[in-house]
Amino acid sequence: MTRLLPALTDTPDRPALRFGDRALTYGELAGAASPLAGRIAGAGRVAVWATPTLETAVGVVAALLAGAAAVPVNPKSGDRELGHIVRDSAPDAVLAAPDAELPPALAGLPRIDIDVPASAGPVDAASLPVEPTDPEAPAFVVYTSGTTGPPKGAVLPRRAVSSTLDALQDAWRWTADDTLVHGLPLFHVHGLILGVIGPLRRGGEVRHLGRFSTEGVTRELSTGATMLFGVPTMYHRIAEALPTDPELAKALSSARLLVSGSAALPVHDHERISSATGQRVVERYGMTETLMNTSVRADGEPRPGTVGVPLPGVELRLAEDDGVTEVTGAGPEAVGEIQVRGPNLFLHYLNRPDATEAAFAPGGWFRTGDVAVRDADGYVRIIGRKATDLIKSGGYKIGAGEIENALLEHPAVKEAAVTGAPDPDLGEQVVAWIVPADAAHPPTQEDLANHVAARLSPHKRPRTVHYLEALPRNDMGKILKRSLTPNG
Ligand code: MCA
Ligand code: AMP
């Protein structure tokens, strides 16, 4: 495996990318990315200011061509989060759209503008940069939250990217004739690796909505798009809109494949969508560290409430609480932590050998922390997760500890605990429990939300704040999060 994206030179006239009214064929993409790759040749890692734009896609393709690991950065990252990512990943440069204003945390890095000329290319194969031949060479460093501390950078090798995308080709019958539409952010695996590099590896087209809307989905699926990717919040919003939006129902009915992932899609939303459109949403299950593990197959039996079966090449087992004994049998009693092994796995967490070691069980099994059961025919049902301090909100993974630390830096906060609460739209929402420094003058909810958004990211902000006189603690002083219920 050398070329990750053979269509760059094999099918130069076919459409590759469309963001709003700007589009590139494969030839034009090669023409824009190839000189940029030349400019970053020799770099170990490059940060990519990952706005939902054509420039981000071109920048990432250039990094892949140059053999530099791309570190996609959330352009809404607050100063604390961004400072950590820049220090930890130590990129050689930052790639950004020419009109992007970069915050001070990135000011110390050489900036390379991602120029997308109105017409460039095609480029013949011999003139493209020589990509790394080592399948273990890092392709991406993607930051992901843990229960405590700042986010960890998962180092993803080229073979993880190619193997996961090729397994999805098989599971979803994904071809160059597919046009994918989505409005996912481009700084996570879902929107970037699956949602941009996925179609480019197949030689098909991706149309990005800039931001998700049911109108955008309707427009693109009515004008040639064949596949939709989204997080459950997006499918929930679709399900809510369907009863009063016949055009949306018609557009979805015409799609070849609707895929949901990043969190569980409630059965109720599955049912509302299938009764209004005749389509079954296909769920797949993955993780930043493992890329994709399982999926309902396009040619398989849809089974709402499950994430399907292991993808080709992925080994999956359920492990007992000791983390090593395999759970045998099937059915609701055979519960265990999902552990996976295969070419889809990351290499390690950047600068965190301790966390990398803790993430693996003997034999190279990666501990996902997700708890599941299996149907007799192997379909996996995720029923929970081991860590209560991880929250999935809108498909984003959010660590409670990271938000607690940020809240404790607010001068009006004496003590803080963070939990997740069920939310019909976001799946879970971030809830903060605060002991104010001065009970007579507690900080407002808006103040605390802005404080967290400015330091970490807007999606990590608490959506609900409860004020307490003291946090419930056990004799050891540990916060009893299970006692933190609105009526408790
Ligand atoms: C709101 N905003 C603020 C504040 N409040 N900004 C600063 N300070 C504040 N206090 C801004 C936000 O930045 C945003 O701006 C806008 O207001 C709305 O924000 P929010 O309310 O958070 O948006 P939402 O409508 O609730 O978002 C729902 C969503 C989003 C669109 C579904 O959660 C989303 O895109 N989720 C996708 C997550 C994802 O891709 N996960 C993949 C990771 P603006 O309007 O400008 O944006 S998981 C993964 O990759 C694995 C491998 C997997 O399995 O897929
Ligand atoms: P992240 O670390 O942000 O990549 O998120 C990975 C986590 O998202 C997994 O460990 C699961 O908890 C969750 N996840 C992803 N896809 C699904 C799905 N289809 N159903 C349930 N949970 C999912």
Side-chain angles (χ1 to χ4, degrees), residues 144-145 188-189 232 260-265 283-289 306-307 368-370 382 384-385 392 395-398:
T144 180
S145 290
H188 276 308
V189 165
S260 175
S262 302
L265 181 63
E283 261 196 270
R284 81 342 175 245
Y285 157 64
M287 207 170 164
T288 303
E289 294 88 334
T306 80
V307 293
T368 65
D370 294 308
I382 297 174
R385 73 174 79 89
K392 263 271 161 166
Y396 287 112
K397 185 190 266 185
I398 303 172

Side-chain angles (χ1 to χ4, degrees), residues 417-419 433 468 470-472 479-488:
V418 166
T419 58
W433 306 78
L468 303 174
L471 292 178
I479 299 170
L480 296 167
K481 290 209 176 172
R482 287 186 204 286
S483 321
L484 291 172
T485 55
N487 309 317

Side-chain angles (χ1 to χ4, degrees), residues 290-302:
T290 66
L291 302 184
M292 294 303 113
N293 296 313
T294 72
S295 184
V296 170
R297 296 181 58 90
D299 56 4
E301 183 209 330

Side-chain angles (χ1 to χ4, degrees), residues 102-454:
L102 299 184
L106 289 165
L109 296 175
R111 174 183 178 144
I112 299 178
D113 281 343
I114 305 168
D115 284 313
V116 182
S119 67
V123 177
D124 63 60
S127 314
L128 272 190
V130 180
E131 292 176 48
T133 49
D134 181 2
E136 300 303 307
F140 291 96
V141 180
V142 180
Y143 279 81
T144 180
S145 290
T147 50
T148 56
K152 300 179 293 247
V155 182
L156 295 159
R158 295 169 76 87
R159 54 102 180 126
V161 175
S162 56
S163 71
T164 220
L165 295 177
D166 295 350
L168 294 176
Q169 170 186 30
D170 177 77
W172 297 342
R173 301 287 180 247
W174 194 353
T175 74
D177 292 329
D178 280 305
T179 294
L180 171 68
V181 56
H182 69 87
L184 292 156
L186 299 187
F187 45 86
H188 276 308
V189 165
H190 194 169
L192 182 62
I193 301 184
L194 264 58
V196 174
I197 305 306
L200 295 183
R201 183 159 171 86
R202 295 280 72 81
E205 182 184 0
V206 54
R207 300 183 191 166
H208 196 277
L209 297 173
R211 63 180 299 151
F212 172 81
S213 70
T214 53
E215 295 76 20
V217 169
T218 304
R219 185 183 64 243
E220 299 307 334
L221 287 177
S222 309
T223 53
T226 61
M227 289 168 84
L228 171 67
F229 285 0
V231 294
T233 300
M234 295 170 182
Y235 284 103
H236 177 78
R237 293 179 185 179
I238 286 173
E240 292 278 289
L242 278 170
T244 55
D245 191 343
E247 290 302 310
L248 176 62
K250 197 167 145 215
L252 288 166
S253 306
S254 70
R256 188 182 73 75
L257 202 65
L258 310 177
V259 185
S260 175
S262 302
L265 181 63
V267 172
H268 178 56
D269 287 332
H270 269 288
E271 285 169 352
R272 291 197 292 172
I273 293 170
S274 65
S275 67
T277 68
Q279 292 272 8
R280 295 287 189 176
V281 177
V282 158
E283 261 196 270
R284 81 342 175 245
Y285 157 64
M287 207 170 164
T288 303
E289 294 88 334
T290 66
L291 302 184
M292 294 303 113
N293 296 313
T294 72
S295 184
V296 170
R297 296 181 58 90
D299 56 4
E301 183 209 330
R303 207 175 293 170
T306 80
V307 293
V309 293
L311 289 165
V314 178
E315 290 179 84
L316 183 148
R317 70 176 191 183
L318 301 183
E320 305 268 9
D321 277 348
D322 64 6
V324 288
T325 312
E326 195 168 337
V327 174
T328 51
E333 307 302 322
V335 181
E337 180 194 26
I338 300 176
Q339 297 189 343
V340 290
R341 202 159 64 170
N344 53 316
L345 261 54
F346 74 139
L347 292 169
H348 54 259
Y349 295 114
L350 196 61
N351 306 321
R352 292 294 306 275
D354 55 326
T356 307
E357 198 192 328
F360 286 91
W365 292 96
F366 177 75
R367 310 173 197 264
T368 65
D370 294 308
V371 177
V373 296
R374 272 182 298 201
D375 292 354
D377 55 2
Y379 274 61
V380 176
R381 293 178 187 269
I382 297 174
I383 57 171
R385 73 174 79 89
K386 286 187 106 170
T388 48
D389 276 347
L390 282 179
I391 301 161
K392 263 271 161 166
S393 184
Y396 287 112
K397 185 190 266 185
I398 303 172
E402 195 188 352
I403 307 176
E404 287 159 1
N405 290 339
L407 288 169
L408 286 169
E409 287 171 16
H410 191 291
V413 172
K414 189 167 136 203
E415 292 185 79
V418 166
T419 58
D423 182 278
D425 181 48
L426 296 171
E428 284 184 287
Q429 59 157 277
V430 175
V431 177
W433 306 78
I434 295 295
V435 180
D438 175 356
H441 301 99
T444 64
Q445 170 160 338
E446 192 190 357
D447 185 12
L448 294 173
N450 290 341
H451 174 86
V452 172

